[in-house]
Amino acid sequence: MTRTRRSARPRHHRIRTFAGAGVIAVIAAVVVPLGYRSMETPSGTAAPADSAAPVTPDASAPVPRTSSPRREHGGPVGEADGVVPDGTTVFDDATPAVAELDAELLDALREAAADAAAYGVGFQVNSGWRSAAYQERLLREAVAEHGSVAEAARWVATPETSPHVSGDAVDIGGSDAQTWLFEHGAAYGLCPVYRNEPWHYELRTEAVDGRCPPMYADPTHDPRMQR
């Protein structure tokens, strides 16, 4: 699978200082397989006024599974569909979940990761691009887990609306990486989007002046999910 690369995005000022040593991870999040379950945010909670308060995960949260789930009909869903092997980073071009990400998003991730590495912070990819079949499988799993389509929608989008299927979203693993991105990601245009998913990042080029847009409480508050 190949993607036509977009023109290079504007260069951003890199962050040269890291205040992560003073950051305390304050959220007890349970990161479960493939990034569609986390800390529970009450259904219907309004999106916060701004995203100033850190949303950092529990460092003891488990690493999502990387075994290949199976389609309800047809063959196995594997790496070619976006399943992520253990130890995948934003520099792994051989992994479709990384290679099929939007070119500008991937450039921003790699620039940020290179700067974060100077402070001993690595960017693990828990999920990136996904095929429509893989996304549909995750949605069915979420409905079974949460008991209804409405509740599942707080965690998993449809193949038609998912930014993972379009290659415009990445789930970053590791509490230190998530903390670093929350503090410094805006300088690269990398922003958290949902309060209940502190690992989910997308490119917002308008944020390079140092401030990301307000986060949604969960995907059901995102107008893109209403299509």
Side-chain angles (χ1 to χ4, degrees):
M1 290 177 289
T2 59
R3 177 184 297 274
T4 302
R5 296 289 184 178
R6 300 179 187 175
S7 59
R9 65 186 185 84
R11 301 290 292 179
H12 310 316
H13 294 294
R14 293 186 174 184
I15 299 298
R16 296 302 183 187
T17 60
F18 178 40
V23 174
I24 300 176
V26 296
I27 289 182
V30 180
V31 179
V32 298
L34 301 164
Y36 64 81
R37 303 178 193 114
S38 177
M39 61 182 186
E40 292 296 334
T41 302
S43 181
T45 301
D50 57 59
S51 58
V55 179
T56 54
D58 186 344
S60 63
V63 176
R65 72 171 183 266
T66 56
S67 59
S68 299
R70 298 189 67 84
R71 295 175 184 167
E72 191 171 295
H73 304 287
V77 174
E79 285 188 38
D81 291 285
V83 175
V84 179
D86 287 328
T88 297
T89 75
V90 299
F91 299 102
D92 289 333
D93 283 328
T95 303
V98 174
E100 293 298 317
L101 287 172
D102 172 77
E104 294 182 61
L105 170 61
L106 188 55
D107 286 348
L109 284 166
R110 288 176 172 176
E111 185 179 355
D115 287 350
Y119 303 99
V121 177
F123 285 14
Q124 175 182 325
V125 175
N126 284 348
S127 193
W129 168 85
R130 302 170 186 156
S131 70
Y134 186 14
Q135 188 70 24
E136 181 64 32
R137 172 64 177 175
L138 294 179
L139 182 56
R140 289 196 299 267
E141 289 181 349
V143 172
E145 172 72 16
H146 296 287
S148 71
V149 172
E151 183 63 17
R154 297 180 59 232
W155 307 100
V156 183
T158 66
E160 294 76 21
T161 61
S162 172
H164 284 282
V165 174
S166 63
D168 294 315
V170 64
D171 294 345
I172 295 295
S175 59
D176 56 345
Q178 291 167 16
T179 297
W180 197 95
L181 272 177
F182 190 89
E183 294 184 331
H184 306 303
Y188 306 86
L190 298 170
C191 293
V193 179
Y194 306 121
R195 280 230 168 244
N196 66 332
E197 296 186 3
W199 52 79
H200 180 108
Y201 275 78
E202 299 180 25
L203 186 66
R204 299 288 184 268
T205 55
E206 69 273 16
V208 296
D209 61 358
R211 186 173 180 82
C212 286
M215 288 185 285
Y216 300 109
D218 62 55
T220 62
H221 294 264
D222 186 343
R224 299 175 301 171
M225 301 300 113
Q226 311 308 315
R227 300 202 304 267

